[in-house]
């Protein structure tokens, strides 16, 4: 038991650290801009970031990157390094194409995209347009780094992605402080300064990643031979995984646009709460990533009993950590919210505190859902998590949010009550389905 827990923590802790550091970019941007520009700045950065991260996460971070982790880990587990290498090369080529397309779209049409997302034309839209256009310049570096991170994790190396995230954060946070507030002789640029800091941080992270390639047990080569069967396997796994993230993220993006109709006060409170809760998500993602890699490797070795142990202990550890966040959110929400906004914004602080307390309910269900979803992907099954997320987000969450928020104009706290209900239902469904599938396919008599 202890050896399994150590092995999980060896992969999960760097992955958790990496996720926390990446999320801190968004959180610190919001914190500094909130203290500099107030709720208008928070709304502008929050909306434009939400849109960009939705599509990059859907297509790459939770689609292509997770899929290449699954295939590489199973290939290395079965000692097929050639398949791991060629699949990695194909993933990088696909990632480069996606990155260029997204960069061109976000740079060329930011105003049109934000208008569709219901950005306030007088105050929020100009700032959000500027933020999105600047960040889009470096999106290709962000996407390629994400694909490389997936390859590293498939090789059971979660430290290199952690170091990359640290570099990104150091550059981003330092430049945030300098450019947003105009320190050390730099101009005071506000929202634009935050965008420049984020872009340069992504470029720095990519350059550092290039120095870590020697730690991959095969040589990555963008000009290597192309094997159609490996391409098909990668795409077959990536599409459901991307659609799963899309079912969640696009739904969340629609929810954001619906909440925008309640006004910038409700939106700012909601966005701050989302940013805070996103930190608590990170242990769940970290243990899910470790579970994907370890389960995939064990499946490749045909050691199904050990794979099941990884799943069980990953779920327990993730629930314990996220349970601690639940207690913190419940006991002291107001001091946490206050750190992200000017003290004078009393209404934002009050509403945000109420939302954060409700968010405490969903922490353990989120942990269960994330880890079991990662375990299923480790076995090569990305369709089941997609179907479950599609159902809970689009059949349960969205209709309720549309009715209560858009039609009834209920307080934004209703959104968080609905979200908690959705996560509880999702955790129950995936727990039942996982045990059924595992018993059917891998149970050792």
């Amino acid at each position: 038991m202890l050896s399994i827990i150590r092995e999980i923590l060896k992969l999960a802790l760097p992955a958790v650290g990496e996720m926390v550091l990446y999320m801190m970019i968004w959180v610190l941007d919001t914190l500094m801009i909130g203290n500099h520009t107030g709720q208008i700045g928070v709304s502008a950065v929050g909306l434009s970031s939400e849109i960009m991260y939705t599509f990059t996460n859907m297509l790459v971070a939770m689609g292509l990157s997770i899929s290449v982790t699954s295939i590489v880990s199973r290939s290395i587990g079965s000692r097929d390094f050639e398949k791991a290498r060629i699949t990695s090369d194909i993933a990088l080529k696909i990632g480069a194409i996606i990155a260029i397309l997204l960069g061109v779209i976000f740079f060329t049409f930011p105003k049109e995209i934000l208008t569709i997302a219901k950005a306030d034309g007088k105050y929020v839209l100009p700032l959000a347009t500027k933020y999105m256009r600047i960040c889009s310049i470096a999106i290709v570096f962000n996407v390629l780094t994400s694909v490389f991170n997936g390859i590293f994790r498939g090789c059971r190396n979660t430290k290199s992605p952690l170091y990359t995230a640290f570099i990104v954060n150091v550059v981003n946070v330092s430049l945030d402080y300098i450019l947003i507030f105009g320190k050390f002789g730099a101009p005071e640029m506000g929202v634009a300064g935050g965008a420049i800091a984020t872009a340069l941080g992504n470029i720095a992270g990519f350059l550092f990643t290039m120095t870590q390639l020697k730690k991959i047990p095969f040589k990555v080569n963008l000009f290597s031979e192309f094997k159609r069967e490996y391409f098909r396997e990668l795409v077959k796994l990536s599409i459901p995984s991307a659609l799963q993230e899309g079912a969640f993220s696009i739904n969340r993006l629609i929810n954001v646009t619906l909440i925008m109709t309640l006004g910038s006060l409700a939106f700012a409170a909601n966005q701050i709460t989302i940013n805070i809760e996103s930190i608590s998500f990170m242990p769940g993602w970290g243990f899910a990533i470790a579970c994907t890699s370890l389960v995939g490797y064990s499946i490749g070795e045909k050691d199904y009993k050990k794979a099941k142990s990884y799943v069980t202990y990953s779920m327990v550890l993730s629930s314990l950590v996220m349970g601690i966040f639940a207690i913190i959110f419940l006991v002291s929400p107001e001091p946490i919210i206050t750190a992200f906004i000017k003290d004078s914004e009393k209404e934002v602080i009050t509403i945000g505190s109420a939302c954060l307390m409700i968010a405490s309910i969903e922490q353990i269900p989120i942990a269960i859902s994330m880890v079991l979803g990662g375990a299923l992907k480790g076995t090569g099954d990305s369709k089941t998590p997609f179907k479950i997320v599609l159902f809970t987000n689009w059949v349960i969450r969205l209709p309720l949010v549309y009715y209560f928020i858009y039609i009834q104009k209920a307080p934004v706290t209703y959104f968080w009550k609905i979200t908690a209900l959705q996560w509880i239902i999702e955790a129950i469904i995936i727990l039942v389905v996982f045990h059924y599938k595992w018993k059917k396919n891998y149970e050792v008599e």
Side-chain angles (χ1 to χ4, degrees):
M1 181 184 73
L2 290 176
S3 65
I4 288 173
I5 290 174
R6 278 198 298 269
E7 201 167 353
I8 291 169
L9 292 176
K10 185 179 178 181
L11 287 185
L13 291 180
V16 171
E18 177 201 349
M19 294 295 167
V20 170
L21 287 170
Y22 274 122
M23 192 51 62
M24 287 304 293
I25 295 171
W26 193 2
V27 170
L28 290 170
D29 274 354
T30 304
L31 189 151
M32 293 192 196
I33 288 169
N35 281 279
H36 179 272
T37 315
Q39 62 177 279
I40 299 300
V42 169
S43 298
V45 172
L47 184 59
S48 53
S49 296
E50 192 79 45
I51 292 168
M52 288 187 291
Y53 288 138
T54 291
F55 287 97
T56 54
N57 281 348
M58 178 178 69
L59 296 172
V60 182
M62 300 305 162
L64 188 62
S65 183
I66 292 291
S67 300
V68 78
T69 297
S70 176
I71 295 173
V72 168
S73 65
R74 280 181 282 128
S75 300
I76 292 177
S78 59
R79 316 307 293 173
D80 190 349
F81 290 96
E82 184 71 3
K83 181 178 180 180
R85 179 183 67 80
I86 295 174
T87 301
S88 298
D89 295 343
I90 293 170
L92 287 167
K93 291 171 186 174
I94 296 172
I97 293 169
I98 292 171
I100 292 169
L101 288 174
L102 288 177
V104 169
I105 290 169
F106 289 141
F107 184 83
T108 308
F109 306 108
K111 188 174 181 180
E112 291 80 0
I113 294 169
L114 290 159
T115 300
I116 293 171
K118 307 292 185 186
D120 178 82
K122 186 176 181 181
Y123 300 109
V124 175
L125 184 59
L127 290 176
T129 299
K130 186 183 294 184
Y131 187 89
M132 182 179 285
R133 181 164 280 153
I134 294 170
C135 287
S136 68
I137 296 170
I139 203 166
V140 66
F141 300 101
N142 181 30
V143 166
L144 289 177
T145 299
S146 181
V147 177
F148 274 117
N149 287 344
I151 297 168
F152 282 122
R153 294 182 197 117
C155 300
R156 299 203 294 182
N157 173 7
T158 53
K159 289 185 178 179
S160 291
L162 171 65
Y163 300 150
T164 299
F166 178 76
I167 297 296
V168 172
N169 253 266
V170 169
V171 174
N172 184 81
V173 173
S174 301
L175 293 178
D176 261 344
Y177 179 71
I178 293 169
L179 298 177
I180 291 173
F181 298 102
K183 301 295 182 178
F184 305 111
E188 185 178 341
M189 301 176 71
V191 169
I196 293 170
T198 299
L200 292 177
N202 286 330
I203 293 171
F206 174 78
L207 294 175
F208 176 78
T209 297
M210 294 299 97
T211 69
Q212 300 294 295
L213 298 185
K214 59 183 178 292
K215 295 182 180 180
I216 297 174
F218 48 82
K219 188 175 181 180
V220 177
N221 181 8
L222 283 173
F223 303 101
S224 67
E225 69 275 25
F226 180 85
K227 287 199 175 182
R228 189 174 298 175
E229 63 270 26
Y230 294 163
F231 171 78
R232 280 200 299 264
E233 184 180 0
L234 181 62
V235 171
K236 186 178 178 181
L237 189 58
S238 295
I239 288 176
S241 190
L243 289 175
Q244 178 193 345
E245 178 63 21
F248 175 75
S249 294
I250 293 175
N251 181 283
R252 187 177 65 181
L253 188 57
I254 294 171
N255 293 332
V256 165
T257 62
L258 294 176
I259 291 169
M260 181 65 82
T261 65
L262 298 178
S264 61
L265 174 64
F267 183 84
N270 181 72
Q271 202 62 36
I272 289 170
T273 308
I274 287 175
N275 285 339
I276 293 168
E277 193 195 32
S278 65
I279 299 173
S280 73
F281 272 37
M282 297 306 103
W285 282 125
F287 283 105
I289 287 168
C291 198
T292 299
S293 179
L294 290 168
V295 168
Y297 190 86
S298 299
I299 294 293
E301 289 185 317
K302 300 190 184 302
D303 190 344
Y304 305 129
K305 186 177 180 180
K306 191 174 185 180
K308 182 67 180 294
S309 297
Y310 285 136
V311 177
T312 302
Y313 289 113
S314 293
M315 188 167 60
V316 171
L317 291 169
S318 181
S319 297
L320 285 173
V321 176
M322 292 189 70
I324 294 171
F325 278 100
I327 294 169
I328 294 171
F329 291 167
L330 189 63
V331 173
S332 56
E334 191 169 317
I336 301 172
I337 297 289
T338 303
F340 286 78
I341 197 73
K342 293 178 179 179
D343 291 338
S344 59
E345 304 269 11
K346 299 295 184 184
E347 289 181 282
V348 175
I349 294 169
T350 300
I351 297 170
S353 298
C355 292
L356 196 59
M357 290 179 72
I358 298 169
S360 66
I361 299 169
E362 62 194 35
Q363 297 307 303
I364 292 176
I366 289 171
I368 294 169
S369 181
M370 285 182 172
V371 169
L372 292 182
L376 286 168
K377 290 172 186 173
T379 68
D381 178 7
S382 58
K383 289 183 179 179
T384 299
F386 161 60
K387 291 175 182 177
I388 294 171
V389 169
L390 183 68
F391 172 75
T392 59
N393 278 268
W394 290 81
V395 177
I396 297 173
R397 183 179 184 179
L398 185 58
L400 290 173
V401 171
Y402 181 80
Y403 175 75
F404 284 102
I405 300 297
Y406 190 72
I407 302 295
Q408 296 295 323
K409 300 297 180 186
V412 72
T413 49
Y414 273 68
F415 168 75
W416 288 90
K417 292 175 184 178
I418 293 166
T419 302
L421 174 65
Q422 173 244 317
W423 278 113
I424 291 169
I425 294 172
E426 184 172 314
I428 293 170
I429 293 173
I430 199 167
L431 193 60
V432 172
V433 171
F434 174 81
H435 281 293
Y436 168 77
K437 282 185 167 287
W438 192 271
K439 188 173 183 179
K440 180 181 177 183
N441 298 318
Y442 302 110
E443 200 69 64
V444 178
E445 297 295 338

